[in-house]
Amino acid sequence: DADVTQTPRNRITKTGKRIMLECSQTKGHDRMYWYRQDPGLGLRLIYYSFDVKDINKGEISDGYSVSRQAQAKFSLSLESAIPNQTALYFCATSDPQGRAGGDTQYFGPGTRLTVL
Amino acid sequence: SQKIEQNSEALNIQEGKTATLTCNYTNYSPAYLQWYRQDPGRGPVFLLLIRENEKEKRKERLKVTFDTTLKQSLFHITASQPADSATYLCARAGRDDKIIFGKGTRLHILP
């Protein structure tokens, strides 16, 4: 089974709709992240959480909100989706004390979101 | 601000040759640099980490260098194969424990 899972994998929605993307992990990591990836812009950090009670804005948090329901679950919401939020969204986890060293990121498979 | 730049958007290399990808950073030297591989439609996968006090790190056909004078990391794939074709992302340790990613280089290994 995958260590980091995301649902849904693909979603098409309309402008103004509320959307929730969910992320679950079995790695036992405290740190979780949401990124979006756009062609030519690379990975950009939306929100991150270093433990259940810690939520922080990233580089591009406007228009998004998050909820850390448990150590293993981190959800991203688009309160009122707009077309320029069409992108590939990735959840990631990390453990700064892990064997890989640094704060190595472990990514989920991604959610492709299209806002019409 | 802390930036990380991968100069080439795309790189074509003949099979069997060594592919070399470049990553440059600005501002202070990060405590470490990382390289990830990303296949189309998939999440990035961690490959290697190199610390500021390390000049070189190897893993099988992969080699990474860290030059604090040039503010640069080089990522080499020796004896390249078509299966090595992917996008490779460089990342630096930033302040506040966040990782900052470059935009990536698409590598095509031509048979």
Side-chain angles (χ1 to χ4, degrees):
Chain A
D1 287 341
D3 294 319
V4 184
T5 57
Q6 293 182 233
T7 56
R9 294 294 314 279
N10 288 283
R11 182 72 185 267
I12 300 174
T13 191
K14 294 183 178 179
T15 297
K17 295 290 188 182
R18 184 176 188 274
I19 297 295
M20 178 179 285
L21 308 183
E22 300 190 355
C23 177
S24 294
Q25 54 116 344
T26 58
K27 298 187 77 68
H29 291 169
D30 286 328
R31 297 185 174 193
M32 297 188 74
Y33 308 79
W34 275 104
Y35 293 89
R36 68 176 277 177
Q37 189 173 43
D38 300 273
L41 294 178
L43 279 165
R44 292 183 291 167
L45 183 63
I46 305 172
Y47 270 96
Y48 62 104
S49 168
F50 283 174
D51 65 43
V52 175
K53 295 182 181 179
D54 175 75
I55 302 286
N56 302 283
K57 293 182 177 181
E59 181 186 350
I60 51 161
S61 59
D62 286 349
Y64 302 94
S65 63
V66 290
S67 172
R68 184 82 184 265
Q69 300 94 324
Q71 186 205 39
K73 294 185 182 298
F74 193 35
S75 301
L76 176 73
S77 293
L78 287 67
E79 297 301 326
S80 178
I82 56 177
N84 78 359
Q85 291 177 313
T86 293
L88 193 51
Y89 289 84
F90 288 104
C91 174
T93 74
S94 74
D95 173 12
Q97 307 302 321
R99 281 184 60 191
D103 207 11
T104 298
Q105 309 274 292
Y106 296 89
F107 287 85
T111 294
R112 186 169 296 280
L113 177 66
T114 303
V115 183
L116 301 176
Chain B
S1 64
Q2 310 150 55
K3 289 187 179 177
I4 189 140
E5 295 173 351
Q6 295 182 251
N7 297 339
S8 300
E9 280 193 25
L11 193 60
N12 293 328
I13 299 292
Q14 205 66 41
E15 182 178 4
K17 302 290 186 187
T18 296
T20 299
L21 282 62
T22 303
C23 175
N24 293 291
Y25 62 88
T26 61
N27 211 327
Y28 66 94
S29 278
Y32 57 85
L33 289 163
Q34 297 178 321
W35 286 87
Y36 292 76
R37 170 182 172 141
Q38 185 175 21
D39 291 288
R42 293 177 177 266
V45 175
F46 170 73
L47 295 175
L48 280 168
L49 177 150
I50 185 165
R51 298 192 183 278
E52 187 181 13
N53 62 353
E54 297 174 320
K55 293 243 187 276
E56 181 180 297
K57 186 77 82 67
R58 289 176 186 261
K59 178 183 176 182
E60 298 172 354
R61 293 184 296 111
L62 308 181
K63 184 178 85 171
V64 174
T65 63
F66 194 160
D67 188 326
T68 56
T69 301
L70 294 178
K71 296 193 173 183
Q72 183 178 85
S73 175
L74 299 179
F75 176 80
H76 305 273
I77 305 175
T78 58
S80 59
Q81 305 165 1
D84 296 325
S85 297
T87 295
Y88 291 86
L89 306 175
C90 177
R92 65 170 290 166
R95 292 200 169 98
D96 301 328
D97 284 338
K98 293 197 296 291
I99 303 293
I100 300 169
F101 286 88
K103 294 179 183 179
T105 296
R106 283 194 318 278
L107 177 65
H108 302 282
I109 305 300
L110 307 173

